[in-house]
Amino acid sequence: MSRPTDHDLDLSVAAMLRVGVTLATLVMLGGGILSLLHPWTTTPDYKHFEPGGPALRTLSGIARSAMHGDAQSIIQLGLVLLIATPVARVVFCVAGFARQRSLLYFGISSLVLAVLLYSLTKGGGS
Amino acid sequence: MTILVFSGLLFATSILAGFLGALTGLGGGVVIVPVLALLFKVDIRYAIGASLVSVIATSSGAAVAYVREGLSNIRIGMFLEVATTLGALLGAYLTAKISSHWIAIVFGAVLLYSAFASFRKKSDRVPAEAQAENPLAKKLELTGVYPGPNGGEPYTAQRVPLGFGIMFAAGTLSGLLGIGSGAVKVLAMDQAMKLPFKVSTTTSNFMIGVTAAASAGIYLARGYIHPTIAMPVMLGVLAGSLLGTRILVKTDVATLRSVFALVIVLLGIEMMYSGITGKI
């Protein structure tokens, strides 16, 4: 197979981004429709910050709660998919630079990926 | 206020913010945070959480349009993302350490700068400085070819360490304020590294999503991203910005740009005032 150019890489990345955003939007809309089944609930007070439980904050908590059909967690799952989209973009670039045999940019994009994965997995520890 | 009314109002406001953000090139984030904080009286941490996810959505959603122009430079973008993602980690860490008054004050300052920057002259040419040799840029492959009117014009990044440093600051602001900080990213590439303006803006768009994702993980774990606020904001800003981008190619928006810059200045002053007086 011939080595892809930077522009080929750009095109496949852009197509992937669009799929990610669309998928995230659909999941979010699904959760949104579910949550509007009770449209007359009064909005809680958002004036003061309240961290909320693991069902909205951790990947495992969101996944578990979304499986049980909790509307808020399904929206949150869509948001997680959205956050994962640029991460997938960097994974694409790591693979693309590897196929181009560009060692320098394989290394640089791997470093960016490492920072992103660190934030997603270890970021909560504060 | 019931959930339905609250979500509907947020959605409508976000469409407008995304629309104006795309038309002026400032991005929806710089508008939506002050509007949520000042108008909807939402805690600033929820506001920056909702803004950050909408920044990811607009950056990713617009990528297709930018790639078609073939102007973005994937290598320069990736190299500078090392700086912006590390900066974003620092910024997200700082949001928990400094008070919301300070976040509001810094936010106001960034708004004022963004409004000012939107009036800078935009050249369609490769700057003369970008044709000079630069050993460091060559080593890091920070070069490209700009499709000018008279065929391809090669360019080379200049002052790489300075650009990298400003990018780190852009990442920190993005993580601290939940915005794309496109204005600062363009400053690094266009002013410091002397890259052609359109290469700077399109590459910046690509970088914004990755930078935002670096702080989004931390925001999520801290509970800044609340579904009831983030969903209508993200959907509205995305819809508004897609609409704005479509109109942008057809019409001249000079007047609208001036009006919007004035609104941004007023929001910036109000944010700083609210921060100083302790209202936020």
Side-chain angles (χ1 to χ4, degrees):
Chain A
M1 200 192 298
S2 68
R3 293 181 189 179
T5 64
D6 280 7
H7 192 61
D8 294 336
L9 197 52
D10 260 347
L11 286 173
S12 61
V13 159
M16 189 277 299
L17 289 177
R18 182 170 266 191
V19 171
V21 173
T22 310
L23 193 68
T25 306
L26 290 177
V27 172
M28 233 178 282
L29 279 176
I33 290 166
L34 264 184
S35 75
L36 290 180
L37 290 180
H38 306 284
W40 312 119
T41 330
T42 309
T43 319
D45 181 16
Y46 294 117
K47 219 175 158 181
H48 299 287
F49 175 69
E50 193 65 54
L56 298 180
R57 289 202 294 153
T58 67
L59 295 184
S60 57
I62 291 168
R64 202 173 317 125
S65 186
M67 294 278 268
H68 288 103
D70 178 65
Q72 297 274 74
S73 295
I74 293 174
I75 296 176
Q76 210 71 344
L77 185 68
L79 290 167
V80 169
L81 285 175
L82 184 69
I83 296 168
T85 302
V87 183
R89 188 216 132 190
V90 177
V91 173
F92 254 60
C93 288
V94 171
F97 287 128
R99 280 175 52 200
Q100 284 187 353
R101 305 274 186 278
S102 167
L103 191 63
L104 176 65
Y105 273 85
F106 173 74
I108 289 176
S109 49
S110 300
L111 185 60
V112 173
L113 184 62
V115 175
L116 290 176
L117 292 179
Y118 170 82
S119 159
L120 282 176
T121 53
K122 299 250 168 27
S126 59
Chain B
M1 207 186 290
T2 69
I3 289 274
L4 190 62
V5 176
F6 182 73
S7 306
L9 280 177
L10 270 186
F11 182 64
T13 313
S14 304
I15 291 180
L16 191 65
F19 182 71
L20 291 173
L23 278 188
T24 53
L26 288 171
V30 295
V31 201
I32 203 68
V33 173
V35 167
L36 286 179
L38 298 170
L39 216 66
F40 285 85
K41 306 282 179 211
V42 162
D43 188 289
I44 197 158
R45 280 160 285 195
Y46 289 134
I48 61 179
S51 165
L52 193 76
V53 290
S54 60
V55 161
I56 297 179
T58 43
S59 155
S60 305
V64 180
Y66 283 120
V67 162
R68 227 173 271 140
E69 293 183 60
L71 291 170
S72 60
N73 190 314
I74 198 167
R75 281 165 204 254
I76 293 180
M78 190 57 79
F79 171 69
L80 294 173
E81 272 162 18
V82 175
T84 60
T85 50
L86 287 174
L89 285 185
L90 174 68
Y93 167 80
L94 285 177
T95 49
K97 300 289 167 197
I98 71 174
S99 71
S100 51
H101 313 308
W102 273 107
I103 296 180
I105 294 168
V106 176
F107 205 108
V110 171
L111 283 175
L112 294 182
Y113 172 74
S114 302
F116 162 76
S118 72
F119 282 106
R120 265 216 326 269
K121 270 216 180 78
K122 294 157 184 85
S123 164
D124 253 357
R125 303 200 55 90
V126 176
E129 297 101 312
Q131 283 149 14
E133 288 277 311
N134 189 307
L136 181 59
K138 205 166 180 188
K139 210 173 201 171
L140 291 166
E141 298 164 26
L142 305 176
T143 59
V145 178
Y146 184 79
N150 314 315
E153 297 176 51
Y155 61 85
T156 303
Q158 307 293 321
R159 296 191 281 183
V160 177
L162 177 65
F164 197 83
I166 298 177
M167 278 296 175
F168 183 81
T172 309
L173 286 176
S174 171
L176 180 66
L177 308 175
I179 57 173
S181 64
V184 185
K185 287 190 172 83
V186 172
L187 171 81
M189 287 188 278
D190 167 67
Q191 297 291 98
M193 302 174 79
K194 299 292 170 197
L195 296 170
F197 186 76
K198 278 196 169 169
V199 173
S200 304
T201 49
T202 52
T203 306
S204 158
N205 175 73
F206 252 125
M207 297 178 62
I208 282 171
V210 174
T211 310
S215 32
I218 298 177
Y219 277 27
L220 185 75
R222 292 232 189 92
Y224 293 2
I225 300 174
H226 194 288
T228 313
I229 301 168
M231 183 187 66
V233 169
M234 175 263 163
L235 292 177
V237 171
L238 180 63
S241 73
L242 290 177
L243 196 69
T245 319
R246 202 153 290 175
I247 287 180
L248 188 61
V249 279
K250 287 184 202 143
T251 46
D252 181 39
V253 289
T255 321
L256 192 64
R257 193 188 289 269
S258 311
V259 172
F260 190 59
L262 188 69
V263 173
I264 296 279
V265 168
L266 294 176
L267 281 176
I269 293 169
E270 177 68 33
M271 281 296 270
M272 290 178 98
Y273 177 75
S274 301
I276 292 164
T277 53
K279 276 197 288 179
I280 287 183

